[in-house]
Amino acid sequence: HDPLKKHNDVQRQRSIMAESSSEAERYLQQLESTILHAASTGSPESSRQLDVERCQNSPDGLAGACLELLRRRGWTGGSSSSGSSVDGGGISTPSVAGQRQYDAVVFYALTTLQRSPLLRCRPPSDNTNFSTLRNQLRHVLLTGISDPTNLQSMPNFVATKIGVLLALLVREEYPVDWACPWRDVLTALNLSSPLDGNHVVNTVTLGKMARMNMYLSFLDAVSDEIVYPSAADEADGSKASDFQRERIRREQVKDAIRGFPIQSTIQTNYGPMEPSVPLEHTDIASYVVGWLLNALRLTASTTIGDETVLTIAVRATATLKRYLSWIDLRLSTDRTLVHTILDGLGGASRGSSDDEDPTHRTMLAVECAYCLREIVDRGMGEQKKLALLTELDVFGVLCRFARLDVGNMAAATSDGRYNIDGKLDLVTSDATQIEAVAAAAELI
C-alpha cells in the first residue's frame, strides 16, 4: 500500500524492459551487420557464423529473430522506406546500393525462416511456440503481398522466396490450421477467384500482372515443395523422422486439395479412396485449375493481349502443366480447358522478318502442346487411352491447323467437337515457329 514503493517497482520494471529492448535491438543490429558483411563480401567466415547461430544457438533456428528483424526494419514486401529509419535502427535507403542492402537482409531473413524448424513438420509437443511464430510469419507474408506498390517493386528472387514460404506453410497447416490458403492468398493479392462470379475482366494492368505473377509463384512453389519435391529437398531434412513426417504431410495435403479425407499416417490399405467433397468444390478445381484457366483465357485474348500480357499467359500455361498429370482426369479433360489449350496451340505466330527468336504466342503454343502431352501421357488401360485420344481429337485438330488433307481422317474429325480456327504450319514454318512445330511433333 506504499505509493512510493509502488512507484519504484514500476520504474524498475520499465528500466528492465527498456534494457531488454535495447539488448534485443543491439542483437538485431549485430545480426543485420553480419548478414550485410556476408552478402557484400561473400565471406565464408560470416556465413559460417550465421549458420552456427541458426543451427546451434537458437532453438527456433533464428526464426523469431528474423521475424522481429523484418518487423523492426519495416518490411512490408517491397522496397524500404526511403530516407527514414524504423525503431531507431532501420535501414535508410535513398540509393540503389542501400536498396540492395535492404534486399539482402530481407532475403536472408526469409531464407532462414525457410530453413528453420518452424517448417519441418515437427510434432506439436516439440514446437509449442512454433504455432505462434507460424501465424506471425503468415501475417507478415500476406501483408507483404497485399500492397500493390510494393509488389511491383519487389525483386523476383524475393517474390519466389515468398511463394516458397507460403507453400511450406501450406504443408505445415493445411487444412486443419489453415483452412483455405489459396483463397487467402488471392484475397491478399486482390485477385478474383472463379467462385466470385466476377473474374471476367477486360483489362490487365501492370499492377494486376504483378499480382498474377505472385500467385503463379505460389502455385509453382506448391508444386515444387509438395507435389514434386526435388531429391535435394527430400534429403535436406536433418533427421530421418523429419523426412518421414514431411512425406506424410505432403501426401495429406495432396489428398485434401483434391477433396479426399486426410489420414493420420500413410495408408497401408491401397484400396480406392472416395472423395468427401464434390469435384467442382475442391480447392484444386476452384483455386488452382479454375483460376489458371481464367487467367489463361484473359491474358491470351487477342483483344487485350499485347506481348507483355502474353508473358502471363505463357507462365500460367507452364504452371498448369505442373498439375495436369496428377489431378482428377475429369479436371484435366474438362471441355473448356482442353478447348482453351488447343486454341493456344493453334496461335503460334510469325515474327517480323528480322526475328529469329520465337514470339510469345509461339511459346504459348509450345506450353499448350506440353499440357496436352501431360494429359495423354497419363497411365491408364489401352481402351481408356484410345477413348481419351478420340475425345481430345488432338490429331484431327492438328491436321486442321496444318491445313492437311488427310481424307477419311478429316471427315472423321470434322464433327465440330473442337471448332477452333487456328494455324500451325508444319511444312513452311519460319524460325520463330520452329519451337511450336517441334512441340507438336513430340505430342504426336
Side-chain angles (χ1 to χ4, degrees), residues 355-417:
D355 286 341
E356 292 186 2
D357 295 330
T359 64
H360 285 102
R361 287 219 173 266
T362 296
M363 292 313 300
L364 177 59
V366 170
E367 294 298 339
C368 287
Y370 291 161
C371 282
L372 290 168
R373 189 173 164 188
E374 288 294 328
I375 297 172
V376 302
D377 204 32
R378 294 180 61 142
M380 61 187 74
E382 291 182 357
Q383 290 301 318
K384 193 172 182 180
K385 178 64 68 72
L386 183 59
L388 174 64
L389 290 172
T390 304
E391 174 64 26
L392 293 178
D393 192 26
V394 173
F395 300 120
V397 171
L398 283 173
C399 286
R400 290 194 291 277
F401 285 170
R403 309 295 195 265
L404 297 177
D405 183 7
V406 288
N408 292 335
M409 178 177 284
T413 59
S414 62
D415 58 3
R417 187 180 296 117

Side-chain angles (χ1 to χ4, degrees), residues 190-432:
N190 194 27
L191 289 172
S192 299
S193 76
L195 300 181
D196 293 337
N198 61 349
H199 51 270
V200 178
V201 183
N202 292 324
T203 57
V204 180
T205 63
L206 290 177
K208 184 164 187 175
M209 286 180 60
R211 288 179 278 134
M212 294 175 79
N213 266 319
M214 184 67 251
Y215 192 63
L216 290 169
S217 292
F218 170 51
L219 295 182
D220 286 342
V222 169
S223 177
D224 289 338
E225 301 297 332
I226 296 173
V227 183
Y228 299 115
S230 68
D233 291 336
E234 290 186 331
D236 189 45
S238 56
K239 300 178 181 177
S241 56
D242 287 349
F243 168 74
Q244 176 68 4
R245 283 191 295 267
E246 289 170 13
R247 186 172 68 88
I248 290 173
R249 280 299 297 146
R250 287 197 298 269
E251 295 300 324
Q252 290 174 338
V253 170
K254 287 168 63 178
D255 284 344
I257 193 176
R258 292 179 294 175
F260 293 96
I262 63 173
Q263 307 294 322
S264 58
T265 58
I266 295 295
Q267 292 232 32
T268 54
N269 176 17
Y270 291 99
M273 290 174 55
E274 290 296 326
S276 57
V277 179
L279 178 63
E280 64 273 16
H281 294 154
T282 60
D283 286 342
I284 192 72
S286 302
Y287 301 110
V288 180
V289 177
W291 187 88
L292 287 169
L293 172 59
N294 289 326
L296 177 57
R297 294 173 71 186
L298 171 65
T299 54
S301 169
T302 55
T303 59
I304 63 172
D306 60 19
E307 287 296 295
T308 305
V309 175
L310 282 172
T311 61
I312 300 292
V314 175
R315 187 176 180 191
T317 312
T319 300
L320 177 64
K321 174 184 64 181
R322 293 167 170 254
Y323 288 85
L324 288 175
S325 63
W326 65 276
I327 61 176
D328 192 292
L329 186 60
R330 290 171 294 170
L331 274 181
S332 295
T333 56
D334 173 79
R335 185 179 180 84
T336 304
L337 178 66
V338 173
H339 188 285
T340 304
I341 294 172
L342 288 170
D343 192 39
L345 176 60
S349 60
R350 293 178 179 272
S352 67
S353 57
D354 297 330
D355 286 341
E356 292 186 2
D357 295 330
T359 64
H360 285 102
R361 287 219 173 266
T362 296
M363 292 313 300
L364 177 59
V366 170
E367 294 298 339
C368 287
Y370 291 161
C371 282
L372 290 168
R373 189 173 164 188
E374 288 294 328
I375 297 172
V376 302
D377 204 32
R378 294 180 61 142
M380 61 187 74
E382 291 182 357
Q383 290 301 318
K384 193 172 182 180
K385 178 64 68 72
L386 183 59
L388 174 64
L389 290 172
T390 304
E391 174 64 26
L392 293 178
D393 192 26
V394 173
F395 300 120
V397 171
L398 283 173
C399 286
R400 290 194 291 277
F401 285 170
R403 309 295 195 265
L404 297 177
D405 183 7
V406 288
N408 292 335
M409 178 177 284
T413 59
S414 62
D415 58 3
R417 187 180 296 117
Y418 292 109
N419 187 19
I420 301 170
D421 184 21
K423 185 176 182 180
L424 185 62
D425 194 336
L426 302 179
V427 181
T428 59
S429 59
D430 65 7
T432 64

Side-chain angles (χ1 to χ4, degrees), residues 19-38 46 49-50 53 62 64-73 85-92 101 105 108:
E19 184 177 346
S20 175
S21 177
S22 176
E23 183 177 342
E25 179 62 29
R26 284 196 298 272
Y27 174 76
L28 290 176
Q29 288 181 347
Q30 181 181 0
L31 176 62
E32 184 177 76
S33 176
T34 306
I35 292 170
L36 291 174
H37 182 68
S46 296
Q49 182 180 341
L50 289 170
E53 189 70 23
L62 283 182
C66 285
L67 282 170
E68 184 67 9
L69 182 63
L70 291 172
R71 186 189 71 80
R72 293 197 179 205
R73 299 308 179 247
S85 64
V86 181
D87 286 354
I91 302 176
S92 178
Q101 289 186 340
V105 173
Y108 175 82

